[in-house]
Each structure stands twice: as structure tokens, then as C-alpha cells.
Amino acid sequence: MGDRKPSELFRYLKSHATALTPEDFILEVWKTRLPSHIRNVMAASSATDIDTILKLAASVHEVSPAKQVSAVSDFTGLVEQIQQLTLQVNALTQDRNRSRSHGSQNQSRGSQNRSATPATARDDFASDWLCFYHRRFKEKATKCRGLCTWPGNDARQQ
């Protein structure tokens, strides 16, 4: 409805309807666009004449128009503030997670053994099936342990 009066809204809807649109249909659409406090009064009314219905809506609107408009504008402002705060919290959470992951990587690197296998070497082969020596030294490995699936092992094991 915006800042229109109920009668202005009805005239606006009627002006945008075609000549074949029944006035009862326009009235029903108009009722759905009214604020809830006006709709509640309209539902309790038994008036059927359009002029009477418009006068009733106008009188209800006069009782509390400013209060309803300010509440809607306050609500809109609150929704925008909540959206902005949500974006800020998400950004801060992502920054915090990034700094934690970088910090934990740096801490774990310091405590790791220098002979640990780089991630790229582990990713090249199925690390669950390769022995330590093949994971670390690949084709240069001279010792092989366990059920290693290194391609050259078939000839060695026979």
C-alpha cells in the first residue's frame, strides 16, 4: 500500500485494470493489499457497498496511519542492519578460520620430522598401499616393506 490512503490504492488498482475486469475482483485484490489492522476491521464489517467499504477503510486508516508506516520503515531498517551484520560476522569467521588453519599448519610443520613425505608425493600414489620408502623415495627406494603396491615390486618379490 505504501503511503497511499486505502481509497487511493483502490483507484490505482482500478485504473490499471481492464474495462472487462469486474469491480468485485478489484475489491478483493485491494483487500489483500491493505495492512492487517485494516483487513481485520474489514472482515468484521458486513458492508457490501464499495463506497461504504472505502469509507470504513479510510476511517480505520486515519486512526493509526503514521504508527503503521513508521513501524514498517523501522522494520525495513532493522532487516538491512541484520543483513549487514550477518555479512560482517561471516567475513570475520572466514578470516578467523583462515588464520587458525595457517597457524596450525605452521605449528605442525615445526613439530614434524624433516623426513616427512610432502603432500604432493602422497597424492601421486595411493599412500595407503605404498610403503614408507616408496612414498618418500619413489623409484629410488632400495628397501620395501609390507604389502607395497609399487609397480616394480612384482619383479622383486618373485
Side-chain angles (χ1 to χ4, degrees), residues 69-83:
V69 171
S70 67
V72 168
S73 63
D74 289 345
F75 180 73
T76 304
L78 288 175
V79 169
E80 290 174 5
Q81 286 179 343
I82 289 171
Q83 289 173 342

Side-chain angles (χ1 to χ4, degrees), residues 117-134:
T117 308
T120 55
R122 283 194 307 267
D123 294 340
D124 289 344
F125 304 96
S127 61
D128 293 341
W129 299 100
L130 296 177
C131 69
F132 164 79
Y133 297 101
H134 280 112

Side-chain angles (χ1 to χ4, degrees), residues 29-97:
V29 171
W30 171 77
K31 285 180 183 178
T32 63
R33 304 283 192 240
L34 293 174
S36 61
H37 70 285
I38 297 177
R39 269 187 283 151
N40 292 340
V41 172
M42 303 299 291
S45 171
S46 61
T48 56
D49 179 44
I50 292 178
D51 290 331
T52 307
I53 293 172
L54 290 174
K55 286 178 186 175
L56 178 61
S59 60
V60 173
H61 180 69
E62 288 174 11
V63 174
S64 62
K67 183 178 175 184
Q68 293 298 323
V69 171
S70 67
V72 168
S73 63
D74 289 345
F75 180 73
T76 304
L78 288 175
V79 169
E80 290 174 5
Q81 286 179 343
I82 289 171
Q83 289 173 342
Q84 289 173 354
L85 289 172
T86 302
L87 291 173
Q88 289 175 354
V89 168
N90 288 340
L92 289 172
T93 303
Q94 288 176 352
D95 289 344
R96 184 176 179 203
N97 288 341

